[in-house]
Amino acid sequence: MAADLKTISDKLWTTADKLRANSGILPAEYARPVLGLLFLRHADERFSEVEAKLSPREGSRIRPGSEAYKAEGAIFLPPEARFSYLLSLPEGENLGKKLTAAMRDIEAKNPELADVLPKTYQLIPDDVLVELLRELQPLKISGDAFGHVYEYFMGNFAKETMQKGGEFYTPSSIVRLIVEIIEPYHGRILDPACGSGGMFVHSADFVKRHQREPDKELSIYGVERTRETWRLAQMNLAVHGLSGKILDADTYRDPVFEEVTPKKDKDGRYEGSGGFDFVMANPPFNVKELDKSKLLDVANRFPFGVPSADNANYLWIQFFWSRLNETGRAGFVMANSAADARGTEQEIRRKLIESGSVDVIVSVGPNFFLTVTLPCTLWFFDKGKATGPRADEVLFLDARHIFRQIDRAHRDFTEEQVEALANIVRLWRGEQPEFFTPSKAWLEEHFPGLAYGDVAGLCRSATRAEIEGQGWSLNPGRYVGVAAGETDDEDFREKLEELHEELEALNVEAARLQSIIDTNLAEVLG
């Protein structure tokens, strides 16, 4: 985010958060209404631009309708939903009620936004709403920049709401790295656990950076089972000028864009072409107590078998793989423990590796996520690789020592670090590196002549035979080794991370049970 844009975002956030704190409103009650106002301000700015363009000639009685605005990429706003109207309301007018009515009117005029916009403004004191409108009114930034402000607010609200925030928000630097490695230039993108839609937004940014138009290059498909988060995703796409199909559904049990998958033969198995060009996701880790008897279309969604372990990680992994077309790529976040899981999960992993489509595995250090301190692993599939010269190889990257410390509890990747890591993958694939940031010197230092070579402690290209020798492990630490002068404590680190992951899972479960107990006590004592 550019320095001036960050200053604008910081100022707006500080004002909004101060108003919330002084009013006593809970962050969870405040988040969607404020994001709704950001959405409205952006829509108002775009509407004004198109209004000036479509203004009728002097003396003409013809007034452009909603379809004319939509054709120009603007959301149609009724007069009572304009910022100027809302700010001109006399003191004592119920602004919360007027804002809620404005959101309903916008949905009525724009059916694609049905049941998307927040309609709980009566819960926020009018004086807070007035101040928020006044702060947003002078904001004059482009659509792309507004999208950055919107994402900045989403990230901060995710921090404020903690566990709930972790369900809908994947840190942007993680998403950017996934996007840079799968390179979604053109095609159909699926995120079957899409949260607030960040994967789609950053894919669109990638396309724009390569001088193309996202709406012409990308077809967006998402699934989100939580209705409130589904609304966030729809609003997020609209703010960024994107359109797509987002299902409010359960990926495990419901039909998910079956029209995109290959046709089935008489035995119910897929045959022929079809599927997605890209799959991206940050699924919930280590989901337990899933009723496997209700899984839909097991033969095609989970072609390597349903794992016997009480853990959904390998259901997600197989689902991502099975949705890809013959040259499709996938990139997703996964719990570290999945890389070394035993039993039926190890057998599934073996089959995936033997398919030749496991492409790149990246270790990420702790404290990148808002709600848990756990490290994680990024997995990448490339089905097209299975018929190429790298079919027998997997690139392992250890990025645990690469990060920027934001504060004591949070880290991220800088733009230069994201570009450098993605360029390592490009060199390995035989592609030209890209330099939109000052990362070239670092890359040349580690890869003389900009030619790929294994670097101890950073990256290694391992053969299938080597991976088999490691029990089909996909843990980068087993292959990359350590840089000169460092101590190899990988076994200790693995065990510690395993225990840490188990502790985090227990903490999440404890919080869930505490919430149930509190609810039950309130009912009994109330």
Side-chain angles (χ1 to χ4, degrees):
M1 190 184 295
D4 56 341
L5 189 54
K6 187 178 189 309
T7 301
I8 292 170
S9 302
D10 284 341
K11 181 177 180 292
L12 285 174
W13 172 257
T14 299
T15 301
D17 197 46
K18 183 179 178 181
L19 288 169
R20 181 202 64 77
N22 290 335
S23 67
I25 307 168
L26 294 174
E29 297 171 343
Y30 194 58
R32 281 196 66 240
V34 172
L35 290 171
L37 291 181
L38 279 169
F39 166 86
L40 181 59
R41 181 66 191 91
H42 175 60
D44 190 87
E45 184 73 12
R46 179 64 184 147
F47 184 89
S48 295
E49 292 171 3
V50 175
E51 187 178 40
K53 180 179 179 180
L54 297 179
S55 58
R57 295 174 182 172
E58 188 175 348
S60 174
R61 296 182 179 180
I62 300 174
R63 293 289 183 272
S66 60
E67 292 305 317
Y69 282 87
K70 291 176 187 177
E72 294 290 334
I75 293 165
F76 185 79
L77 299 181
E80 294 78 12
R82 300 297 304 274
F83 246 68
S84 55
Y85 169 81
L86 293 166
L87 274 171
S88 67
L89 290 170
E91 190 174 344
E93 191 81 40
N94 190 329
L95 182 55
K97 185 177 179 180
K98 291 287 187 180
L99 272 168
T100 296
M103 295 297 178
R104 293 189 192 282
D105 287 346
I106 294 170
E107 289 185 347
K109 294 290 186 180
N110 302 271
E112 69 275 12
L113 294 174
D115 195 32
V116 168
L117 303 180
K119 293 177 278 290
T120 56
Y121 288 98
Q122 299 96 315
L123 300 177
I124 301 176
D126 272 8
D127 61 329
V128 173
L129 292 173
V130 169
E131 286 303 314
L132 285 170
L133 290 175
R134 285 175 179 165
E135 284 292 325
L136 291 172
Q137 173 64 16
L139 193 60
K140 299 285 185 183
I141 53 179
S142 70
D144 286 349
F146 211 103
H148 285 296
V149 174
Y150 187 86
E151 183 183 28
Y152 180 85
F153 266 62
M154 287 183 68
N156 279 334
F157 277 129
K159 290 178 187 176
E160 293 283 340
T161 55
M162 293 308 287
Q163 288 297 339
K164 288 186 178 294
E167 293 173 5
F168 68 75
Y169 185 80
T170 305
S172 60
S173 68
I174 294 283
V175 180
R176 288 201 307 272
L177 182 55
I178 291 173
V179 169
E180 289 294 323
I181 290 177
I182 70 168
E183 300 177 314
Y185 288 103
H186 172 84
R188 294 182 291 206
I189 299 181
L190 170 68
D191 184 345
C194 74
S196 55
M199 299 282 185
F200 304 132
V201 169
H202 285 284
S203 295
D205 287 344
F206 176 87
V207 171
K208 288 177 186 175
R209 198 166 63 253
H210 290 86
Q211 311 304 314
R212 302 181 185 183
E213 297 180 42
D215 258 358
K216 293 181 179 179
E217 301 294 339
L218 302 178
S219 298
I220 290 171
Y221 299 81
V223 185
E224 175 50 51
R225 64 175 184 154
T226 304
R227 190 67 177 178
E228 282 299 297
T229 308
W230 175 87
R231 293 185 177 106
L232 281 178
Q234 297 281 23
M235 244 194 326
N236 199 12
L237 289 184
V239 163
H240 287 85
L242 301 172
S243 58
K245 299 177 181 178
I246 311 291
L247 296 181
D248 177 6
D250 185 329
T251 299
Y252 295 126
R253 302 179 179 93
D254 298 330
V256 174
F257 304 118
E258 299 301 309
E259 70 275 13
V260 178
T261 55
K263 302 300 181 186
K264 296 178 183 178
D265 62 20
K266 59 183 177 61
D267 298 318
R269 298 273 185 174
Y270 289 148
E271 63 177 2
S273 60
F276 291 90
D277 300 285
F278 305 98
V279 175
M280 312 165 68
N282 173 23
F285 293 174
N286 302 320
V287 174
K288 299 186 183 300
E289 298 181 9
L290 184 71
D291 186 350
K292 295 176 184 175
S293 67
K294 295 182 179 179
L295 295 175
L296 182 70
D297 196 11
V298 171
N300 291 306
R301 291 183 167 206
F302 316 110
F304 302 121
V306 175
S308 59
D310 183 20
N311 189 310
N313 288 342
Y314 273 82
L315 293 175
W316 282 113
I317 290 169
Q318 288 189 83
F319 184 83
F320 303 148
W321 188 90
S322 69
R323 299 300 94 179
L324 292 172
N325 62 28
E326 294 175 348
T327 58
R329 287 178 174 178
F332 53 93
V333 187
M334 186 47 58
N336 275 4
S337 57
D340 287 302
R342 301 295 182 182
T344 54
E345 293 171 311
Q346 182 184 38
E347 182 63 13
I348 293 168
R349 191 168 62 249
R350 176 185 67 80
K351 292 176 182 177
L352 284 166
I353 294 166
E354 288 182 337
S355 76
S357 53
V358 178
D359 191 28
V360 181
I361 305 290
V362 182
S363 282
V364 177
N367 295 322
F368 271 72
F369 287 81
L370 301 175
T371 58
V372 294
T373 59
L374 283 175
C376 69
T377 307
L378 306 182
W379 291 41
F380 296 90
F381 294 150
D382 181 353
K383 283 195 173 178
K385 180 176 81 75
T387 57
R390 294 178 292 104
D392 190 45
E393 301 174 19
V394 175
L395 177 63
F396 291 96
L397 266 170
D398 190 343
R400 288 175 295 184
H401 57 289
I402 298 173
F403 58 86
R404 171 176 59 184
Q405 195 75 37
I406 302 171
D407 53 40
R408 185 181 60 82
H410 298 100
R411 297 173 174 177
D412 71 356
F413 293 125
T414 65
E415 291 185 5
E416 290 86 351
Q417 288 168 341
V418 168
E419 184 174 83
L421 290 168
N423 275 335
I424 295 173
V425 178
R426 293 187 179 105
L427 293 180
W428 178 70
R429 288 173 175 162
E431 300 172 356
Q432 288 297 311
E434 296 187 351
F435 298 109
F436 293 95
T437 75
S439 69
K440 187 174 183 179
W442 183 92
L443 198 69
E444 288 178 326
E445 178 187 346
H446 290 80
F447 301 92
L450 294 181
Y452 177 80
D454 294 340
V455 177
L458 177 61
C459 59
R460 183 156 184 265
S461 181
T463 65
R464 191 176 303 170
E466 290 174 309
I467 297 171
E468 181 180 8
Q470 290 287 345
W472 302 104
S473 170
L474 289 178
N475 183 341
R478 289 179 176 265
Y479 305 95
V480 171
V482 296
E486 294 183 0
T487 305
D488 188 355
D489 57 354
E490 188 56 37
D491 288 342
F492 171 76
R493 188 193 297 268
E494 264 186 53
K495 186 61 178 176
L496 188 61
E497 288 179 355
E498 184 180 324
L499 291 171
H500 191 185
E501 190 171 311
E502 186 177 346
L503 177 61
E504 288 283 2
L506 290 171
N507 285 337
V508 170
E509 179 64 9
R512 185 184 71 82
L513 293 173
Q514 184 63 52
S515 176
I516 294 172
I517 291 169
D518 290 344
T519 302
N520 291 341
L521 276 175
E523 290 178 359
V524 171
L525 299 176

Short mmCIF file of all heavy atoms in Angstrom, two decimals, residues 357-397:
data_model
loop_
_atom_site.label_atom_id
_atom_site.label_comp_id
_atom_site.label_asym_id
_atom_site.label_seq_id
_atom_site.Cartn_x
_atom_site.Cartn_y
_atom_site.Cartn_z
N SER A 357 1.40 -34.11 -10.10
CA SER A 357 0.83 -32.76 -10.09
C SER A 357 1.17 -31.95 -8.84
O SER A 357 0.81 -30.77 -8.77
CB SER A 357 -0.69 -32.84 -10.25
OG SER A 357 -1.25 -33.72 -9.29
N VAL A 358 1.85 -32.56 -7.85
CA VAL A 358 2.32 -31.76 -6.71
C VAL A 358 3.49 -30.92 -7.20
O VAL A 358 4.49 -31.45 -7.67
CB VAL A 358 2.74 -32.64 -5.52
CG1 VAL A 358 3.27 -31.78 -4.39
CG2 VAL A 358 1.56 -33.49 -5.04
N ASP A 359 3.35 -29.61 -7.12
CA ASP A 359 4.27 -28.70 -7.79
C ASP A 359 5.26 -28.06 -6.82
O ASP A 359 6.47 -28.25 -6.93
CB ASP A 359 3.46 -27.61 -8.49
CG ASP A 359 4.27 -26.75 -9.45
OD1 ASP A 359 5.27 -27.26 -9.97
OD2 ASP A 359 3.89 -25.59 -9.68
N VAL A 360 4.75 -27.29 -5.86
CA VAL A 360 5.59 -26.51 -4.94
C VAL A 360 5.01 -26.61 -3.54
O VAL A 360 3.78 -26.61 -3.37
CB VAL A 360 5.65 -25.02 -5.37
CG1 VAL A 360 6.54 -24.22 -4.43
CG2 VAL A 360 6.10 -24.88 -6.81
N ILE A 361 5.88 -26.69 -2.53
CA ILE A 361 5.46 -26.68 -1.13
C ILE A 361 6.29 -25.61 -0.42
O ILE A 361 7.53 -25.60 -0.52
CB ILE A 361 5.68 -28.04 -0.45
CG1 ILE A 361 4.98 -29.17 -1.22
CG2 ILE A 361 5.20 -27.99 1.00
CD1 ILE A 361 3.47 -29.14 -1.16
N VAL A 362 5.60 -24.69 0.29
CA VAL A 362 6.27 -23.57 0.95
C VAL A 362 5.97 -23.58 2.45
O VAL A 362 4.80 -23.58 2.84
CB VAL A 362 5.83 -22.22 0.35
CG1 VAL A 362 6.58 -21.07 1.02
CG2 VAL A 362 6.01 -22.19 -1.15
N SER A 363 7.00 -23.58 3.28
CA SER A 363 6.83 -23.44 4.72
C SER A 363 6.77 -21.97 5.09
O SER A 363 7.63 -21.18 4.68
CB SER A 363 8.00 -24.08 5.48
OG SER A 363 7.89 -25.47 5.51
N VAL A 364 5.76 -21.60 5.87
CA VAL A 364 5.59 -20.23 6.34
C VAL A 364 5.70 -20.23 7.87
O VAL A 364 5.15 -21.11 8.53
CB VAL A 364 4.22 -19.65 5.90
CG1 VAL A 364 4.02 -18.24 6.46
CG2 VAL A 364 4.12 -19.65 4.37
N GLY A 365 6.38 -19.26 8.42
CA GLY A 365 6.61 -19.21 9.86
C GLY A 365 5.37 -18.84 10.65
O GLY A 365 4.29 -18.61 10.10
N PRO A 366 5.50 -18.73 11.98
CA PRO A 366 4.36 -18.41 12.84
C PRO A 366 3.97 -16.94 12.78
O PRO A 366 4.69 -16.11 12.23
CB PRO A 366 4.87 -18.79 14.24
CG PRO A 366 6.35 -18.57 14.15
CD PRO A 366 6.73 -18.97 12.75
N ASN A 367 2.79 -16.65 13.35
CA ASN A 367 2.31 -15.27 13.57
C ASN A 367 1.91 -14.52 12.30
O ASN A 367 1.85 -13.30 12.30
CB ASN A 367 3.35 -14.45 14.33
CG ASN A 367 3.58 -14.97 15.74
OD1 ASN A 367 2.66 -15.40 16.41
ND2 ASN A 367 4.84 -14.97 16.16
N PHE A 368 1.61 -15.25 11.23
CA PHE A 368 1.11 -14.59 10.03
C PHE A 368 -0.40 -14.40 10.09
O PHE A 368 -0.94 -13.53 9.42
CB PHE A 368 1.47 -15.40 8.77
CG PHE A 368 2.81 -15.04 8.19
CD1 PHE A 368 3.99 -15.41 8.83
CD2 PHE A 368 2.90 -14.33 7.01
CE1 PHE A 368 5.22 -15.07 8.30
CE2 PHE A 368 4.14 -13.99 6.47
CZ PHE A 368 5.30 -14.36 7.11
N PHE A 369 -1.07 -15.23 10.87
CA PHE A 369 -2.53 -15.18 10.93
C PHE A 369 -3.00 -14.40 12.15
O PHE A 369 -2.30 -14.32 13.16
CB PHE A 369 -3.12 -16.59 10.92
CG PHE A 369 -3.00 -17.25 9.57
CD1 PHE A 369 -1.82 -17.86 9.18
CD2 PHE A 369 -4.06 -17.23 8.68
CE1 PHE A 369 -1.69 -18.44 7.92
CE2 PHE A 369 -3.95 -17.80 7.43
CZ PHE A 369 -2.76 -18.42 7.05
N LEU A 370 -4.19 -13.85 12.06
CA LEU A 370 -4.69 -12.97 13.10
C LEU A 370 -5.13 -13.72 14.35
O LEU A 370 -5.03 -13.19 15.46
CB LEU A 370 -5.87 -12.15 12.56
CG LEU A 370 -5.56 -11.28 11.34
CD1 LEU A 370 -6.83 -10.62 10.84
CD2 LEU A 370 -4.52 -10.23 11.68
N THR A 371 -5.62 -14.93 14.18
CA THR A 371 -6.27 -15.61 15.30
C THR A 371 -5.44 -16.72 15.92
O THR A 371 -5.74 -17.16 17.01
CB THR A 371 -7.61 -16.21 14.84
OG1 THR A 371 -7.35 -17.12 13.76
CG2 THR A 371 -8.55 -15.12 14.36
N VAL A 372 -4.43 -17.20 15.21
CA VAL A 372 -3.59 -18.28 15.74
C VAL A 372 -2.13 -17.95 15.45
O VAL A 372 -1.81 -17.25 14.49
CB VAL A 372 -3.93 -19.66 15.13
CG1 VAL A 372 -5.31 -20.12 15.54
CG2 VAL A 372 -3.81 -19.64 13.62
N THR A 373 -1.25 -18.44 16.29
CA THR A 373 0.18 -18.17 16.10
C THR A 373 0.86 -19.26 15.29
O THR A 373 2.05 -19.17 15.01
CB THR A 373 0.88 -18.06 17.46
OG1 THR A 373 0.69 -19.28 18.18
CG2 THR A 373 0.30 -16.91 18.27
N LEU A 374 0.11 -20.28 14.91
CA LEU A 374 0.69 -21.44 14.22
C LEU A 374 1.39 -21.08 12.92
O LEU A 374 0.93 -20.23 12.16
CB LEU A 374 -0.42 -22.43 13.86
CG LEU A 374 -0.97 -23.31 14.98
CD1 LEU A 374 -2.14 -24.11 14.43
CD2 LEU A 374 0.10 -24.23 15.49
N PRO A 375 2.52 -21.77 12.63
CA PRO A 375 3.05 -21.72 11.26
C PRO A 375 2.13 -22.51 10.35
O PRO A 375 1.22 -23.21 10.81
CB PRO A 375 4.42 -22.40 11.41
CG PRO A 375 4.28 -23.31 12.57
CD PRO A 375 3.31 -22.64 13.52
N CYS A 376 2.32 -22.41 9.06
CA CYS A 376 1.48 -23.16 8.12
C CYS A 376 2.31 -23.53 6.90
O CYS A 376 3.48 -23.17 6.79
CB CYS A 376 0.25 -22.35 7.71
SG CYS A 376 0.65 -20.92 6.68
N THR A 377 1.70 -24.29 6.02
CA THR A 377 2.35 -24.69 4.77
C THR A 377 1.45 -24.30 3.60
O THR A 377 0.23 -24.43 3.69
CB THR A 377 2.59 -26.21 4.75
OG1 THR A 377 3.30 -26.59 5.92
CG2 THR A 377 3.40 -26.61 3.53
N LEU A 378 2.04 -23.80 2.54
CA LEU A 378 1.30 -23.52 1.31
C LEU A 378 1.57 -24.64 0.32
O LEU A 378 2.73 -24.96 0.03
CB LEU A 378 1.73 -22.18 0.71
CG LEU A 378 1.67 -20.95 1.63
CD1 LEU A 378 2.07 -19.69 0.86
CD2 LEU A 378 0.30 -20.79 2.24
N TRP A 379 0.50 -25.27 -0.17
CA TRP A 379 0.60 -26.36 -1.15
C TRP A 379 0.21 -25.82 -2.52
O TRP A 379 -0.73 -25.02 -2.65
CB TRP A 379 -0.34 -27.49 -0.79
CG TRP A 379 -0.02 -28.29 0.43
CD1 TRP A 379 0.43 -27.84 1.63
CD2 TRP A 379 -0.19 -29.71 0.58
NE1 TRP A 379 0.56 -28.87 2.51
CE2 TRP A 379 0.19 -30.03 1.90
CE3 TRP A 379 -0.62 -30.73 -0.27
CZ2 TRP A 379 0.15 -31.34 2.38
CZ3 TRP A 379 -0.66 -32.03 0.20
CH2 TRP A 379 -0.27 -32.33 1.51
N PHE A 380 0.90 -26.32 -3.55
CA PHE A 380 0.57 -25.94 -4.92
C PHE A 380 0.52 -27.18 -5.81
O PHE A 380 1.45 -28.00 -5.79
CB PHE A 380 1.61 -24.94 -5.47
CG PHE A 380 1.62 -23.64 -4.72
CD1 PHE A 380 2.45 -23.47 -3.62
CD2 PHE A 380 0.79 -22.59 -5.10
CE1 PHE A 380 2.45 -22.28 -2.91
CE2 PHE A 380 0.80 -21.39 -4.40
CZ PHE A 380 1.62 -21.23 -3.30
N PHE A 381 -0.56 -27.29 -6.57
CA PHE A 381 -0.70 -28.34 -7.57
C PHE A 381 -0.60 -27.72 -8.96
O PHE A 381 -0.96 -26.56 -9.17
CB PHE A 381 -2.07 -29.02 -7.47
CG PHE A 381 -2.31 -29.79 -6.21
CD1 PHE A 381 -3.61 -29.93 -5.70
CD2 PHE A 381 -1.27 -30.40 -5.51
CE1 PHE A 381 -3.85 -30.65 -4.56
CE2 PHE A 381 -1.51 -31.12 -4.35
CZ PHE A 381 -2.81 -31.24 -3.87
N ASP A 382 -0.11 -28.49 -9.91
CA ASP A 382 -0.09 -28.10 -11.32
C ASP A 382 -0.28 -29.37 -12.14
O ASP A 382 0.65 -30.14 -12.35
CB ASP A 382 1.23 -27.42 -11.67
CG ASP A 382 1.29 -26.96 -13.13
OD1 ASP A 382 0.35 -27.27 -13.89
OD2 ASP A 382 2.27 -26.29 -13.51
N LYS A 383 -1.52 -29.60 -12.59
CA LYS A 383 -1.79 -30.84 -13.32
C LYS A 383 -1.06 -30.87 -14.66
O LYS A 383 -0.75 -31.95 -15.18
CB LYS A 383 -3.30 -31.02 -13.51
CG LYS A 383 -4.01 -31.50 -12.24
CD LYS A 383 -5.39 -32.02 -12.55
CE LYS A 383 -6.02 -32.65 -11.32
NZ LYS A 383 -7.41 -33.13 -11.59
N GLY A 384 -0.79 -29.71 -15.23
CA GLY A 384 -0.05 -29.69 -16.48
C GLY A 384 1.38 -30.17 -16.34
O GLY A 384 1.99 -30.64 -17.30
N LYS A 385 1.94 -30.06 -15.12
CA LYS A 385 3.32 -30.49 -14.87
C LYS A 385 3.49 -32.00 -15.06
O LYS A 385 4.59 -32.49 -15.38
CB LYS A 385 3.72 -30.10 -13.45
CG LYS A 385 5.15 -30.48 -13.06
CD LYS A 385 5.49 -29.97 -11.67
CE LYS A 385 4.95 -30.86 -10.57
NZ LYS A 385 5.72 -32.12 -10.42
N ALA A 386 2.40 -32.75 -14.88
CA ALA A 386 2.48 -34.21 -14.91
C ALA A 386 2.95 -34.75 -16.25
O ALA A 386 3.46 -35.88 -16.33
CB ALA A 386 1.12 -34.81 -14.56
N THR A 387 2.81 -33.98 -17.32
CA THR A 387 3.24 -34.44 -18.65
C THR A 387 4.48 -33.71 -19.13
O THR A 387 4.86 -33.83 -20.30
CB THR A 387 2.10 -34.23 -19.68
OG1 THR A 387 1.73 -32.84 -19.68
CG2 THR A 387 0.88 -35.08 -19.31
N GLY A 388 5.12 -32.95 -18.23
CA GLY A 388 6.30 -32.17 -18.62
C GLY A 388 7.58 -32.71 -18.00
O GLY A 388 7.59 -33.75 -17.31
N PRO A 389 8.69 -32.00 -18.18
CA PRO A 389 10.00 -32.48 -17.71
C PRO A 389 10.14 -32.48 -16.18
O PRO A 389 11.04 -33.14 -15.66
CB PRO A 389 10.98 -31.49 -18.35
CG PRO A 389 10.17 -30.25 -18.61
CD PRO A 389 8.79 -30.74 -18.93
N ARG A 390 9.27 -31.76 -15.46
CA ARG A 390 9.36 -31.71 -14.00
C ARG A 390 8.36 -32.63 -13.31
O ARG A 390 8.12 -32.50 -12.12
CB ARG A 390 9.15 -30.27 -13.51
CG ARG A 390 10.24 -29.30 -13.94
CD ARG A 390 9.95 -27.87 -13.47
NE ARG A 390 8.79 -27.29 -14.14
CZ ARG A 390 7.59 -27.15 -13.61
NH1 ARG A 390 7.36 -27.53 -12.36
NH2 ARG A 390 6.60 -26.61 -14.30
N ALA A 391 7.80 -33.56 -14.05
CA ALA A 391 6.76 -34.43 -13.49
C ALA A 391 7.26 -35.20 -12.26
O ALA A 391 6.48 -35.49 -11.34
CB ALA A 391 6.27 -35.41 -14.56
N ASP A 392 8.54 -35.50 -12.24
CA ASP A 392 9.12 -36.33 -11.19
C ASP A 392 9.67 -35.50 -10.02
O ASP A 392 10.24 -36.03 -9.09
CB ASP A 392 10.26 -37.18 -11.79
CG ASP A 392 10.76 -38.24 -10.85
OD1 ASP A 392 9.93 -38.93 -10.23
OD2 ASP A 392 12.00 -38.36 -10.70
N GLU A 393 9.49 -34.18 -10.08
CA GLU A 393 10.11 -33.31 -9.09
C GLU A 393 9.09 -32.45 -8.35
O GLU A 393 8.02 -32.15 -8.88
CB GLU A 393 11.12 -32.38 -9.78
CG GLU A 393 12.24 -33.10 -10.50
CD GLU A 393 13.12 -32.13 -11.28
OE1 GLU A 393 13.09 -30.93 -10.98
OE2 GLU A 393 13.82 -32.61 -12.21
N VAL A 394 9.46 -32.05 -7.13
CA VAL A 394 8.68 -31.10 -6.33
C VAL A 394 9.66 -30.07 -5.79
O VAL A 394 10.74 -30.41 -5.30
CB VAL A 394 7.96 -31.79 -5.16
CG1 VAL A 394 7.26 -30.76 -4.28
CG2 VAL A 394 6.95 -32.83 -5.67
N LEU A 395 9.30 -28.79 -5.90
CA LEU A 395 10.14 -27.73 -5.35
C LEU A 395 9.72 -27.45 -3.91
O LEU A 395 8.55 -27.15 -3.64
CB LEU A 395 10.00 -26.45 -6.17
CG LEU A 395 10.79 -25.24 -5.64
CD1 LEU A 395 12.29 -25.52 -5.67
CD2 LEU A 395 10.46 -23.98 -6.43
N PHE A 396 10.68 -27.53 -2.99
CA PHE A 396 10.43 -27.23 -1.58
C PHE A 396 11.09 -25.89 -1.24
O PHE A 396 12.28 -25.69 -1.51
CB PHE A 396 10.99 -28.33 -0.69
CG PHE A 396 10.24 -29.63 -0.81
CD1 PHE A 396 10.69 -30.64 -1.66
CD2 PHE A 396 9.08 -29.84 -0.08
CE1 PHE A 396 10.00 -31.83 -1.78
CE2 PHE A 396 8.38 -31.03 -0.20
CZ PHE A 396 8.84 -32.03 -1.04
N LEU A 397 10.31 -24.99 -0.65
CA LEU A 397 10.80 -23.67 -0.24
C LEU A 397 10.60 -23.52 1.26
O LEU A 397 9.49 -23.74 1.77
CB LEU A 397 10.00 -22.58 -0.95
CG LEU A 397 10.52 -22.00 -2.25
CD1 LEU A 397 9.45 -21.12 -2.89
CD2 LEU A 397 11.77 -21.18 -2.00
#
